[in-house]
Amino acid sequence: MIKAGIIGATGYAGNELVRILMGHKEVEIKWYGSRSYIDKPYAEVYRNMFQIVDDVCLDDNMEELADQVDVIFTATPQGFLAGVLTEEILSKTKIVDLSADFRIKDVSIYEEWYKIEHKSPQFIEEAVYGLCEVNREQVKKARLVANPGCYTTCSILTAYPLVKEGLIDPNTLIVDAKSGTSGAGRGAKLPNLFCEVNENMKAYGVATHRHTPEIEEQLGYAAGKPVTINFTPHLVPMNRGILATEYATLVKKPDGSLPTSEEIKAVYDKYYANEKFVRVLDPGQCPETKWVEGSNYVDIGFQMDARTGRIIMMGALDNLVKGAAGQAVQNMNLMFGFEEAEGLNMVPMFP
Amino acid sequence: MIKAGIIGATGYAGNELVRILMGHKEVEIKWYGSRSYIDKPYAEVYRNMFQIVDDVCLDDNMEELADQVDVIFTATPQGFLAGVLTEEILSKTKIVDLSADFRIKDVSIYEEWYKIEHKSPQFIEEAVYGLCEVNREQVKKARLVANPGCYTTCSILTAYPLVKEGLIDPNTLIVDAKSGTSGAGRGAKLPNLFCEVNENMKAYGVATHRHTPEIEEQLGYAAGKPVTINFTPHLVPMNRGILATEYATLVKKPDGSLPTSEEIKAVYDKYYANEKFVRVLDPGQCPETKWVEGSNYVDIGFQMDARTGRIIMMGALDNLVKGAAGQAVQNMNLMFGFEEAEGLNMVPMFP
Amino acid sequence: MIKAGIIGATGYAGNELVRILMGHKEVEIKWYGSRSYIDKPYAEVYRNMFQIVDDVCLDDNMEELADQVDVIFTATPQGFLAGVLTEEILSKTKIVDLSADFRIKDVSIYEEWYKIEHKSPQFIEEAVYGLCEVNREQVKKARLVANPGCYTTCSILTAYPLVKEGLIDPNTLIVDAKSGTSGAGRGAKLPNLFCEVNENMKAYGVATHRHTPEIEEQLGYAAGKPVTINFTPHLVPMNRGILATEYATLVKKPDGSLPTSEEIKAVYDKYYANEKFVRVLDPGQCPETKWVEGSNYVDIGFQMDARTGRIIMMGALDNLVKGAAGQAVQNMNLMFGFEEAEGLNMVPMFP
Amino acid sequence: MIKAGIIGATGYAGNELVRILMGHKEVEIKWYGSRSYIDKPYAEVYRNMFQIVDDVCLDDNMEELADQVDVIFTATPQGFLAGVLTEEILSKTKIVDLSADFRIKDVSIYEEWYKIEHKSPQFIEEAVYGLCEVNREQVKKARLVANPGCYTTCSILTAYPLVKEGLIDPNTLIVDAKSGTSGAGRGAKLPNLFCEVNENMKAYGVATHRHTPEIEEQLGYAAGKPVTINFTPHLVPMNRGILATEYATLVKKPDGSLPTSEEIKAVYDKYYANEKFVRVLDPGQCPETKWVEGSNYVDIGFQMDARTGRIIMMGALDNLVKGAAGQAVQNMNLMFGFEEAEGLNMVPMFP
């Protein structure tokens, strides 16, 4: 039984971490950190936790926390962890960071897209990008894991095998992503009010969303060369779920023909057939966010279009689970040598 | 490890049974019965179950099933179980019936409200009404449990302690209930289309809904006399959740005063403080369906109104869990001597 | 062509006033008042108005406004109008107040329920309660109309004929009301975030909601005696619409029998058959909020319950139209001698 | 005052035609055709029309109808109009067809994508494609107008000026479209049930949707050469609204530079500045479906991405208004010489 602390426990991702860890056999939560609700019972902030969590919220004191717990989850705004991280902290405890602070290796790209100075670039190289299915072995040895973004996890996993195997031209990649509103967080902002979101749909952050360079960096590793893509997020009137529809031009075979649907499927299976949390759908099936809701699964499907020579890839996940808290726990399991799926066997809830 | 069969596995309640039993340590599902989808893989009917359930749907053969399994869940239309039940079946297997066939002791009332003839009234007396918190000991010994209706569970548990202790006049009871749309089932009917339900709210079955006599019978046992109430269901644009708002006139104390809020709370606590799945909220708190979504909890709150001499009681549950599949598993746990909460420790999902 | 000014033009009710007045033949909006958005183009605050409204928002200057316009709509927080109203203003312009400041004749009741001091009680007596179907003749002569609340309009109109004719006992009246979220306004508050409201339902303000005394006062006039009721509002995951489900004990006829359904219907028809905006549904029909969305209609239905001796009355309206801006325009039409339905002929939008 | 008949009056588009025509000064509806509801009062099928429409539904008798009315709207399944149309009918009455029967000039493409034989190809050439902003002059002279599809209207208008002016390479065009559920019609089908759509999002008809060749044909006219595109529709949990996000590679100027944002805006303005129903948003603004709900507007915005050399164009409309009934009325207005916006001045409803 290890001890865990959560900084930012009263955001939606923080609450989802609590939900998941309550069902984890090897972890006990010792610290519900929330600067905004210090001394308030956690169950008063999230009443679903009534009679389940008795603790009160505590301050965001990383140093004290490092003395008390084996792992810290930081579900905090960009810049927080980079601002407080020290070698001493990392020598005492492992960290899974749900913010973007250590996701991007090139600090200048981080600073350009996030518009903030990075306060501890010395830890960037050490940090492991926690996309479990891609970086499993490095995660196992990590002290500091940068948990991927919700859009990013979905976007990368959906295209990764085809980029890695050279079946698509990565610079033609267009990711049109749709997200439930919990991705916008629990802050009281006008655009997130029920009446503004319900019965409405819009794109936002077009050509400027911060998950873009994260997707490009990771797919660049897969491609073996820099990749530039289009990424467009949209807000959908639902609580949870991300659907990424991705378009790319197929690379023709030496004889000028396109790869077949079976060949594409075989490549997906090569990477994911043994991955519990990635479900490659049967040909012709389009993923739906509802089929993965509340679970750690990513569902992936695709459709060839011979008319245009493009492939349409589709991925769906629950942004708070595989897109945030679930993947964070999956990373923790790897870091501590637990069974990778421990605490993550939730069956998707339908309807 | 016992074996379970589900008749009606492809309704929403059936699918929820599958979701819950997948996480139950002592049960293995051996039979996914669905007359409409015979031979079709279950995961093609409910794609959330892809790579989780590999079985195909089978016919609704109770006799064959009785030979193969230890418990049968019948999540079937009214009249099905009454039409096929035999002593031989019951001698071989236990049954948890999610339909109304054995909920009502007076067969004439059943036939009046349900407009069908009861085909096996000889089993009515034996059947135990499976409201676990009220009939726990009888359930433990039962072969046949009549699992309560979703509205009913919520309506009864919310008022039960006050009726039982004589704090309210049961004949003044008015239950105004609101339900998510999954309660209407998965049948393809025009009134349940997205565009008909979304951005809409209505009452239905006013003064005629079939859950009325079930509530009256059970509260009558608590009151020690026949009870007649008003029950009005409403359809709400959400998937899951029932909220019951209940009004009753408080019985004055001998000195003419009304009971205090503390006294009311104490009565609720007397009945529910040790009940894991009933959470009596702190005074002033109103339950919300979202706080129990996906879980087996019922949340109960109340507010006194000295101006009118009435109390407003409120209860919330997830109609597919505590209102159907969760309570069915809770009953099964009692019938087989398992820990009562086994498989039911799902933390409510928020948001 | 008269000139109108709106104070509080950037709330949801204010925007709905703009929508309706854009289609009104006799009115031109000259002043979009909004303290929060001074100098900002109105169409940047409500982008539905792009290329429709070119004006910028102005301050809330009642005195200047009184010089410029024939009618002022105040869609403002409680206390605003009472704080600034003067005889000089009223001598120059007519006012339709969408706040509660002049709805309640007994100032002590206002101050008790609203917890604020009333700054200009001298205008209370003059103010006409603008429930057009009840007070039409007084409205025609009024300088100051107190536009009824959204819950109130629905609650009163649904029960009014039966109270007025003595067919129900008004002190047994219980109003269980359900509202879309636009009734909560456009303020950026956590409980109104999409993820908090969606897939959720709750009661709030139980036994303490401010619309209670307003309903009691008006139904008291109808009953000819003071009336005390229960009123419970609920929040529903939809943008627009109020559904009021109302319960009352029927008054028996001298021979001990209950009134018949036909007799009840006849009474509703007596009051509403000639009212364009009140539609009494055929017996057995339950109103649905979607059937009136975007329009000025109130739909009313009822169901007798001989078992309990009660009647269940149901009313539905669009809280932003008949519950706010539509009724305000209806009042304005009466005050200026326009056709009562001018600008209000919107057909309900479905789906 | 002309007389109109509607065949298919009980579909969602049919009901929207009724809603709009009720507010049209020059038209009277004489025939509510609905094979499924013959002799049933229209207001019983659509209760929003209670006390507004008194007529009963009639059969789909085109010949009788042609004798009685000046214009027929056919809001019918594919193949209906082609199956019954005759020169005699067309000689007596004008027709606005909301189905796809006469949208596509190449009958073999129609038959390939729709999988039905075209029964009256002799009228295809005469039929005018009723995209008013593009084909206004031809529509004015037409007897038979093929009203464009909902996705199509949005997709074409959003890209049309840039294709026409050669600013984008049309064969790089990818249209990722999202639609509210009313587009799926009022048929009682399982995938359209509330619980299947709510809290869910999915793509469908990927690479095979029937609106694809319609978009390609029209953009091909604009480009002056055949165009092949990707079009992917998605189902969104909302009643109304289509959002099209469109990606295309910008054509470089002779000096190798990309067009500027101002140049793009100028091109949009060239085509749409005088179009009442097309609103080109200010740079940086992304359209939202809610801003046009209930109205005949299309809102269009765009964002350049110098990194990839692509432009992201976005268009939003109400699929039942500009995407169906509103555009049909706009076409009718042109055909009969009425003011083009007559009956279509609905201000978008927000929220």
Side-chain angles (χ1 to χ4, degrees), chain D residues 13-14 17 73-76 78 96-100 103 145-149 323-325 328:
Chain D
L17 268 170
F73 295 94
T74 45
T76 42
Q78 321 307 337
V96 180
D97 179 28
L98 283 79
S99 87
R103 291 178 190 159
V145 164
N147 208 57

Side-chain angles (χ1 to χ4, degrees), chain A residues 57 207 255 294 338:
Chain A
C57 295
D255 67 359
F338 303 144

Side-chain angles (χ1 to χ4, degrees), chain B residues 171 176 178 199-201 216 230 232 234 238-239 245 247 288-290 305 307-308 310 350, chain C residues 171 176 178 196 199-201 216 230 232 234 238-239 245 247 288-290 305 307-308 310 350:
Chain B
N171 286 306
D176 190 283
K178 299 90 177 166
E199 284 294 289
N200 197 4
M201 182 141 187
E216 290 178 343
N230 273 109
T232 312
H234 296 76
M238 58 187 190
N239 286 349
T245 313
Y247 303 84
E288 308 189 14
T289 60
K290 192 73 188 156
D305 188 7
R307 298 169 65 252
T308 60
R310 296 193 193 102
F350 187 96
Chain C
N171 286 307
D176 189 284
K178 299 90 178 166
E196 309 285 319
E199 285 293 288
N200 198 3
M201 180 141 190
E216 289 178 344
N230 273 109
T232 312
H234 296 76
M238 56 187 192
N239 285 350
T245 313
Y247 302 85
E288 308 190 13
T289 60
K290 193 73 188 157
D305 188 7
R307 299 169 64 252
T308 60
R310 297 193 192 101
F350 188 97

Side-chain angles (χ1 to χ4, degrees), chain B residues 3-214:
Chain B
K3 292 169 184 162
I6 303 172
I7 302 292
T10 54
Y12 287 144
N15 181 49
E16 191 70 356
L17 268 170
V18 176
R19 179 175 83 95
I20 293 172
L21 292 176
M22 284 291 127
H24 196 291
K25 288 178 201 160
E26 311 281 358
V27 183
E28 186 184 11
I29 304 176
K30 298 300 283 184
W31 189 289
Y32 295 82
S34 174
R35 210 174 276 176
S36 318
Y37 294 102
I38 294 173
D39 292 338
K40 191 162 187 176
Y42 188 74
E44 286 187 15
V45 185
Y46 281 101
R47 293 187 180 276
N48 52 325
M49 297 300 176
F50 183 58
Q51 296 184 0
I52 297 172
V53 175
D54 295 331
D55 302 65
V56 299
C57 295
L58 301 174
D59 199 355
D60 294 349
N61 190 329
M62 285 289 285
E63 289 180 13
E64 194 180 331
L65 194 43
D67 286 332
Q68 296 190 18
V69 302
D70 303 292
V71 61
I72 300 173
F73 295 95
T74 45
T76 42
Q78 321 308 336
F80 171 82
L81 184 59
V84 300
L85 190 59
T86 62
E87 175 59 31
E88 196 190 346
I89 291 171
L90 263 187
S91 70
K92 292 179 182 168
T93 188
K94 294 177 196 262
I95 296 178
V96 180
D97 179 27
L98 283 79
S99 87
D101 283 5
F102 296 97
R103 290 179 192 158
I104 292 173
K105 291 298 176 198
D106 184 334
V107 71
S108 67
I109 290 181
Y110 174 89
E111 294 184 342
E112 179 192 339
W113 287 78
Y114 285 89
K115 314 289 182 207
I116 49 175
E117 186 192 349
H118 200 295
K119 300 285 189 173
S120 51
Q122 69 274 22
F123 296 110
I124 293 180
E125 197 183 330
E126 166 179 2
V128 173
Y129 188 75
L131 193 58
C132 312
E133 286 75 13
V134 172
N135 294 331
R136 181 170 287 120
E137 295 311 314
Q138 298 94 300
V139 170
K140 287 181 182 172
K141 294 172 289 192
R143 296 193 302 176
L144 172 59
V145 163
N147 207 57
C150 52
Y151 279 124
T152 327
T153 299
C154 194
S155 301
I156 295 173
L157 289 176
T158 300
Y160 180 78
L162 305 194
V163 172
K164 182 82 175 170
E165 298 285 322
L167 288 167
I168 57 176
D169 174 356
N171 286 306
T172 64
L173 185 67
I174 290 170
V175 178
D176 190 283
K178 299 90 177 166
S179 174
T181 306
S182 60
R186 212 188 192 196
K189 294 175 189 159
L190 190 146
N192 299 335
L193 290 178
F194 182 83
C195 289
E196 308 285 319
V197 173
N198 187 43
E199 284 294 289
N200 197 4
M201 182 141 187
K202 66 173 177 186
Y204 64 98
V206 182
T208 62
H209 193 277
R210 295 162 169 192
H211 283 180
T212 311
E214 192 180 329

